Amino acid sequence: MTRAENVYRIVNCRSCSARVIWTVTNPELKSGHPMMVDADPHPNGNILLARYPSIEHEPGKPVPVRATVMRPGQIAGARADGNVLYRSHFASCPHADRWRKTNAARHAKNGSRR
């Protein structure tokens, strides 16, 4: 499989300027969540990336990239099949805590109580 810069649109993290790929978990569903992934594969990565060209998107905009977080039992099989795995940028960004929402802030924003 090719490296990320040959397949996916690379941007820079607004906090640390590292090269990242914006992905979506479950892009075909309204419940999909954006996720930043380091642009370079990682030896301990657990995220499989795939393009979804069949998903409707605006002309001239990048095709959504789906991020699938692999469970420990799936990682060895994915690598054996020749897949390259990546890791979440939150695992490597030195400023990740600035962007991480607390449960209280998340619920306040959504108007829910837990």
Side-chain angles (χ1 to χ4, degrees):
M1 188 169 200
T2 58
R3 292 178 51 113
E5 60 266 19
N6 297 325
V7 180
Y8 308 116
R9 183 172 166 254
I10 309 283
V11 296
N12 293 93
C13 173
R14 292 187 302 175
S15 292
C16 70
S17 299
R19 296 164 10 100
V20 298
I21 302 165
W22 273 106
T23 67
V24 179
T25 60
N26 301 317
E28 66 279 359
L29 303 175
K30 289 183 180 179
S31 63
H33 297 283
M35 173 191 277
M36 278 196 310
V37 175
D38 289 337
D40 294 316
H42 194 273
N44 295 322
N46 66 335
I47 298 173
L48 180 67
L49 301 182
R51 294 193 89 158
Y52 276 75
S54 61
I55 297 172
E56 290 186 34
H57 66 284
E58 291 183 43
K61 298 251 179 164
V63 175
V65 178
R66 180 183 186 143
T68 302
V69 179
M70 309 292 282
R71 293 187 302 262
Q74 297 173 308
I75 293 171
R79 287 203 172 102
D81 285 342
N83 291 298
V84 176
L85 299 179
Y86 298 83
R87 74 175 169 176
S88 167
H89 185 59
F90 268 170
S92 64
C93 183
H95 307 133
D97 287 341
R98 292 183 195 169
W99 297 96
R100 206 175 308 275
K101 294 179 182 175
T102 65
N103 280 335
R106 196 175 295 126
H107 292 298
K109 179 180 176 185
N110 294 331
S112 62
R113 295 181 205 172
R114 276 194 161 196

